[in-house]
Amino acid sequence: MPIRSILSGAGGYLPERLVSNDELAAQIDTSDTWIRERTGIRQRYLAAPHETACFMGTRAAREALANAGAGPDDVDAIIVGTSTPDQAFPATAVRIQAELGVTRGFGFDLSAACSGFIYGLSVADSMIRTGNAHGVLVIGSEVYSRILDWKDRATCVLFGDGAGAVFLQAGEGYGSADRGVLSTHLHAQGTLGDILYVNGSVGRRDLPGTLVMNGKEVFRHAVIRLAGAVEEALSANGLTTADIDWLVPHQANLRIIEAMGRRLGLPAERVVITVDRHANTSAASVPLALAEALADGRIKSGDLVLMEALGGGLTWGSALVRI
Ligand code: COA
């Protein structure tokens, strides 16, 4: 019987400091009405200095392990999707390994911007299916507040900080055949790199870098590419939209999410939405939304969940998972 990657637990962490649209409007030329009408965002959480990608990712991972009924000894790989690591190296994943008390296996960071979690899930699934890993933590952890240009009202109102994690475990035998990761599909188009990027990095002493975005172009591509990703996932599995119990989309803009829900013919109550409260937490957004909907009982064992994300690169992709 083939090995499947069973999603056995999820967790999340949000910084303590909640920042409303009105609070931002007191500092920059924007308004609660503009932000809500264009994006659906009402608030976001912003990290304190100690709330780093490692700090938040560790907490999300601990919760995912606890919800899976697992511990450090069950982990043999850690993959962290992040564009905002604490250090150029060691990787955030390796720092988290130490924090969790995991003493074997390996870990690495993965750079795919807002698609980092979906990319990580795909890599983890491949490793589990080929027998190269048995228990993989896939984490998205981001502190975009540190790479935003706080004078650019067109971007700084859109993002928040946070971390989300899932624990994938190899499953064999009775009961696992129809559960777990059914498929993942990844895409990138480097020629679109200049519509959403960070204009510097640790490799540039002169330019630490802040986020730059052509919002209209990103919006246009997001709707087209994500619709394509959804259709690809359904057709690869011989499914129709009627088979999907939950859509857990990347949380960038409520209007993009609603367009995807309409396209799938899913009623709004079958689409998990956190963008109103979390804003766009990049690679953390999908696992945070998934963790929330699992914790409050909306998503149940046996449900078929379609996840999708798009981010700088452009990168985009989907994952279809039976919980
Ligand atoms: N507050 C008030 N006004 C703002 C503003 C803000 N925070 N940001 C921009 N504006 C203004 C602009 O200056 C512009 O004014 P003008 O008409 O006088 O020139 C006006 O609002 C319209 O700006 P525009 O950029 O055309 O708005 P939009 O309808 O395209 O919405 C986004 C902007 C960013 C909300 C939208 O393009 C978007 O969501 N894009 C996708 C972003 C995304 O998903 N990114 C992450 C992908 S991982």
Side-chain angles (χ1 to χ4, degrees):
M1 188 164 289
I3 302 173
R4 273 282 169 77
S5 311
I6 310 295
L7 198 157
S8 53
Y13 178 87
L14 289 162
E16 281 171 28
R17 184 170 164 233
L18 186 158
V19 177
S20 69
N21 290 344
D22 283 332
E23 202 174 328
L24 285 187
Q27 288 152 33
I28 54 171
D29 183 15
T30 188
S31 67
D32 176 51
T33 308
W34 191 97
I35 300 170
R36 267 192 297 108
E37 285 178 357
R38 302 280 173 137
T39 70
I41 295 166
R42 290 190 277 116
Q43 60 177 50
R44 76 282 297 134
Y45 294 85
L46 298 183
H50 71 281
E51 289 173 314
T52 64
C54 172
F55 179 95
M56 297 194 299
T58 301
R59 272 139 193 86
R62 275 200 194 116
E63 194 172 278
L65 287 176
N67 287 334
D73 292 346
D74 299 306
V75 178
D76 55 19
I78 302 174
I79 303 174
V80 179
T82 186
S83 303
T84 50
D86 305 358
Q87 299 168 301
F89 68 84
T92 314
V94 176
R95 292 291 194 197
I96 291 175
Q97 184 199 42
E99 289 290 323
L100 293 174
V102 175
T103 52
R104 67 195 175 93
F106 57 93
F108 58 89
D109 290 0
L110 187 156
S111 171
C114 297
S115 313
F117 175 75
I118 300 289
Y119 267 55
L121 203 67
S122 182
V123 174
D125 179 45
S126 301
M127 287 181 160
I128 287 174
R129 281 176 192 263
T130 51
N132 289 319
H134 295 91
V136 187
L137 275 167
V138 184
I139 303 167
S141 190
E142 301 277 23
V143 269
Y144 266 44
S145 58
R146 308 218 170 108
I147 56 165
L148 292 172
D149 175 355
W150 285 99
K151 294 190 195 71
D152 177 14
R153 66 177 182 171
T155 54
C156 73
V157 301
L158 304 176
F159 295 89
D161 301 326
V166 300
F167 189 47
L168 291 183
Q169 286 182 287
E172 278 177 277
Y174 180 76
S176 65
D178 192 38
R179 286 183 67 209
V181 179
L182 303 189
S183 71
T184 60
H185 291 92
L186 304 183
H187 296 279
Q189 189 166 337
T191 53
L192 294 170
D194 288 341
I195 65 171
L196 176 56
Y197 63 102
V198 176
N199 61 3
S201 182
V202 286
R204 292 277 308 270
R205 282 186 198 278
D206 57 323
L207 201 56
T210 52
L211 185 143
V212 181
M213 179 174 73
N214 178 337
K216 275 200 195 315
E217 274 299 284
V218 173
F219 194 104
R220 196 170 70 78
H221 280 289
V223 173
I224 299 167
R225 312 280 165 176
L226 290 174
V230 163
E231 277 153 26
E232 180 181 37
L234 292 176
S235 108
N237 290 280
L239 299 170
T240 69
T241 52
D243 297 308
I244 304 299
D245 294 306
W246 289 96
L247 176 65
V248 182
H250 176 44
Q251 309 282 325
N253 184 314
L254 190 58
R255 288 188 294 153
I256 299 175
I257 295 172
E258 285 173 347
M260 295 303 301
R262 274 196 302 275
R263 202 168 179 119
L264 275 169
L266 275 179
E269 54 280 10
R270 288 273 161 178
V271 181
V272 178
I273 289 171
T274 56
V275 67
D276 55 333
R277 288 159 293 127
H278 300 176
N280 181 350
T281 56
S282 189
S285 97
V286 169
L288 262 172
L290 181 70
E292 184 179 281
L294 283 167
D296 66 22
R298 269 177 293 167
I299 298 182
K300 296 181 176 58
S301 182
D303 282 353
L304 190 58
V305 178
L306 180 58
M307 303 176 230
E308 40 86 339
L310 173 135
L314 282 188
T315 56
W316 68 99
S318 70
L320 192 64
V321 181
R322 173 91 57 195
I323 301 298

